[in-house]
Amino acid sequence: FSSGFCWGNSVERKIYIPLNKTAPCVRLLNATHQIGCQSSMNGDTGVIHVVEKAQDLKWVLTDGPHPPYMVLLEGELFTRELMLQLKGSSRISGLAVAISKPSPAQGFSPGLKCPNDGFGVYSNDYGPQYAHCNWTVWNPLGNGLAYEDFSFPIFLLEDANETQVIKQCYQDHNLPQNGSVPEYPLCAMQLFAHMHAVTNTVTCMRRSSLQTAFSLNPEEVCDALSDYNVWSTLKPINASSKINPVDEVIIVATRIDSHSFFWNVAPGAESAVASFVTHLAAAEALHKVPDVQMLPRNIMFTFFQGETFDYIGSSRMVYDMKMDKFPIRLDNIHSFLELSQVALRNSSVLWVHTDPVSRRNESIQPQVETLVEALINSSVGANVTLQEVGQSQPLPPSSFQRFLRAKSIPGVVLADHRTSFQNRYYQSMYDTAENILMKYPEGLSPEETLDYVTDTAKSLAEVATVVARALYQLAGGTGNTSAIQADPRMVSRMLYGFLIKTNNSWFQSIIKQDLKGLLGDELPQHYIAVTSLVNTTQLVQYVLANLTGTVVNFTKEECLNPEKTPNPEKEMYVYTWVQGSRDPNSTSRVPFCVQSTVHLTKAASPAFELKQWGSTEYSTWTESRWKDIRARIFLIASKELEIITLVVGIAILILSLLATYFINAKAHVLFSSPGDGGTVAY
């Protein structure tokens, strides 16, 4: 059996060339509809045709004699207009998109023009003139492609070498010569990406719940997008109880997730990484201030997961606060400061956005003015200029909006755009390190690259410095803020780790030994997914603990089981045993225990806890399940040859059966020996 299996594998390898570096478009669903792509149950196959210019489409849509076609599309042609042409044709069986290098100069955003529309604070009851982006179209380049539903599979080709193999196969077998029709065998592609869920979240969750209730081996068809938020406080609190109602907390927030057209391709450099790295740097700078434990107000550093999909993380935290499932209540919130997209500033200007509706409240207005004044004062002498947006403009898409839905809270959102996004690649595979102008000299080793301070890092460190100084003042600090300074080298390390390579010496030293699988050499991605604790969440958790925690003299046993120690403050902290850096004199590491205030809390939409799968109040996004996602190319014969081969095969089978029957029937004649008739004696 083993040798037969190996022989079968060997035959398969001679027939098929697998494409290993691809990313599929998968199906996502919400309360009202489904988006994304899928193949038929057994995969979809088509003859490859390379489309390098719009005119090449004529062959696959009308002229080509060998439909259905599998289109290999150059990245710059991956537009809404062209995709809708393909979507309406029965001659298309699938699509492979070659990533464009360099990124399309005109920009590319498959997201919506009005991100998270309907789930922010503005509605018919609250600032109706601002609802549905009536006042400002935040993402004008958004073509909505990621929110279309395609009935054929679409894959991203991430490896230029594999793309070249496909093109070479096409040129050798499929390229029309002098206007003549290419002859068989032809180069074909097969894409497998069958999705189990259909219609919407209500339908798929109902089917999954029925399976769970009545089947011994339930097969769920979709899963809610969910993960965890990361949060910590400047001054330790007991996370298992409630803080005093009179205690005031300033919330600093950013999102840590992104999205693109393709599954788990979400670099999010400008849309997420630059802001949460700035946030981490500001947290580190504040923790270094000597008198922070004496400040009248506490500061909570919050990193929301799933914000791309209708504010999953922030809506869950607000829900938990309202339901008394979180140590901090909504009434404890003094003010709110959010870092939105901050890396692409024009002339070093950072814009301060506020909510014009809540500012009409006489008690909120002076508090917002205090916030804005603290930020502007903190930027004096820095290479960052803060300017307030006019009070008639609404807030951009932000987690702060979910808090405003629950309670009028003074707050601001910092962003590099006054009106529409500066980011030309919002929610796109092109929102990479290059998009935020990260550049390194040639010839650097990985360690040198990790510590090289880029201009982008210096710029974000300036923003972190301004934020940290403003927070110190808002928390009641009266000391000199000039000593509060974010570390550009640390910002560089974080940008390198979250955008280029997680498997670096610094990340290795700050995580648990059993989490080494988190780190890889491929480009990091920041999609929320459906698994618990995605890589980004865990890495933010350990980076925050490293930057804001302290090393304590605990043994491994004490660190892993702090409840067994006599330490009276053990309930105020979280203890983590990390593997540490390598000992210079050996290959082993020097582990240590980190004491921090870093916690995780669920980032799962309340809609699923309440079983309100058709909710319009909370996010209802789910991801379809699938069994097989893969792509391969091979040579395909003509239909006539396939039929002839089949007929000949059947004929040989019938002849073989007849021959076997005849031989079996005449075996006593054919296989008898001359001496069988009797016994011969000698």
Side-chain angles (χ1 to χ4, degrees), residues 146-158:
Y147 293 83
E148 289 286 333
D149 183 36
F150 295 92
S151 59
F152 51 78
I154 304 175
F155 277 53
L156 176 68
L157 302 174
E158 299 180 284

Side-chain angles (χ1 to χ4, degrees), residues 465-627:
T465 298
V466 170
V467 169
R469 291 175 179 176
L471 288 170
Y472 176 76
Q473 292 179 25
L474 291 167
T478 56
N480 185 0
T481 61
S482 61
I484 302 176
Q485 188 72 46
D487 183 359
R489 179 171 166 272
M490 193 57 72
V491 173
S492 275
R493 285 185 157 201
M494 289 189 281
L495 288 174
Y496 179 83
F498 285 111
L499 286 176
I500 296 174
K501 187 178 178 181
T502 55
N503 191 18
N504 60 73
S505 60
W506 184 50
F507 275 13
Q508 289 168 11
S509 70
I510 65 174
I511 65 169
K512 294 179 180 178
Q513 186 174 9
D514 58 353
L515 293 178
K516 288 185 289 187
L518 285 179
L519 309 180
D521 294 330
E522 63 279 355
L523 292 177
Q525 307 299 337
H526 307 291
Y527 173 62
I528 179 175
V530 296
T531 54
S532 60
L533 278 176
V534 296
N535 290 8
T536 304
T537 304
Q538 295 188 75
L539 290 174
V540 168
Q541 176 190 6
Y542 285 103
V543 169
L544 182 59
N546 179 268
L547 297 182
T548 63
T550 55
V551 177
V552 290
N553 189 24
F554 279 16
T555 64
K556 183 177 181 180
E557 179 66 23
E558 291 172 333
C559 194
L560 297 177
N561 301 283
E563 68 278 359
K564 296 180 181 179
T565 64
N567 182 4
E569 293 186 328
K570 59 192 174 189
E571 292 184 353
M572 310 292 282
Y573 294 99
V574 174
Y575 296 89
T576 312
W577 187 258
V578 300
Q579 61 179 2
S581 303
R582 291 191 185 278
D583 188 330
N585 300 319
S586 70
T587 57
S588 61
R589 294 184 176 274
V590 183
F592 55 91
C593 186
V594 176
Q595 172 187 275
S596 72
T597 61
V598 179
H599 302 271
L600 297 176
T601 185
K602 273 188 178 180
S605 172
F608 298 100
E609 183 166 312
L610 300 169
K611 296 193 183 305
Q612 296 175 358
W613 303 321
S615 173
T616 56
E617 169 71 14
Y618 298 112
S619 171
T620 54
W621 284 105
T622 54
E623 180 184 273
S624 174
R625 289 196 178 187
W626 60 81
K627 282 189 177 176

Side-chain angles (χ1 to χ4, degrees), residues 363-379:
S363 64
I364 297 293
Q365 169 66 9
Q367 295 180 69
V368 174
E369 287 180 349
T370 302
L371 261 172
V372 174
E373 185 181 345
L375 284 163
I376 292 175
N377 289 343
S378 298
S379 68

Side-chain angles (χ1 to χ4, degrees), residues 228-418:
Y228 286 83
N229 298 323
V230 182
W231 66 276
S232 74
T233 52
L234 189 63
K235 297 190 290 184
I237 63 171
N238 188 339
S240 60
S241 62
K242 304 290 181 293
I243 68 171
N244 195 308
V246 299
D247 289 347
E248 292 183 323
V249 178
I250 300 167
I251 292 183
V252 196
T254 47
R255 65 175 59 190
I256 58 174
D257 69 296
S258 188
H259 178 45
S260 80
F261 186 88
F262 298 98
W263 182 76
N264 204 30
V265 178
E270 158 74 342
S271 62
V273 177
S275 56
F276 75 67
V277 163
T278 304
H279 187 170
L280 288 163
E284 181 195 29
L286 268 173
H287 271 269
K288 290 179 178 178
V289 180
D291 65 339
V292 288
Q293 297 302 318
M294 307 302 293
L295 293 175
R297 300 186 185 99
N298 207 342
I299 298 174
M300 175 176 161
F301 306 101
T302 315
F303 301 81
F304 291 122
Q305 180 64 276
E307 295 302 273
T308 304
F309 294 96
D310 299 337
Y311 306 118
I312 292 174
S314 56
S315 64
R316 179 52 184 258
M317 183 170 283
V318 170
Y319 173 80
D320 286 345
M321 287 179 173
K322 289 166 70 175
M323 302 301 292
D324 272 349
K325 296 180 179 180
F326 196 77
I328 296 169
R329 303 175 180 86
L330 286 169
D331 289 338
N332 291 120
I333 300 175
H334 169 268
S335 52
F336 198 104
L337 191 158
E338 180 168 354
L339 288 164
S340 185
Q341 302 177 80
V342 294
L344 298 176
R345 303 193 303 280
N346 277 337
S347 305
S348 297
V349 175
L350 200 62
W351 295 95
V352 182
H353 296 259
T354 58
D355 172 41
V357 180
S358 61
R359 292 189 72 167
R360 296 172 194 159
N361 185 315
E362 292 182 358
S363 64
I364 297 293
Q365 169 66 9
Q367 295 180 69
V368 174
E369 287 180 349
T370 302
L371 261 172
V372 174
E373 185 181 345
L375 284 163
I376 292 175
N377 289 343
S378 298
S379 68
V380 175
N383 292 326
V384 182
T385 304
L386 265 70
Q387 293 186 24
E388 186 179 2
V389 175
Q391 292 186 28
S392 61
Q393 183 170 293
L395 288 167
S398 51
S399 307
F400 178 41
Q401 292 199 32
R402 290 301 303 193
F403 284 80
L404 280 176
R405 280 177 76 130
K407 187 178 186 293
S408 287
I409 299 169
V412 299
V413 176
L414 299 184
D416 55 21
H417 54 90
R418 181 176 186 176

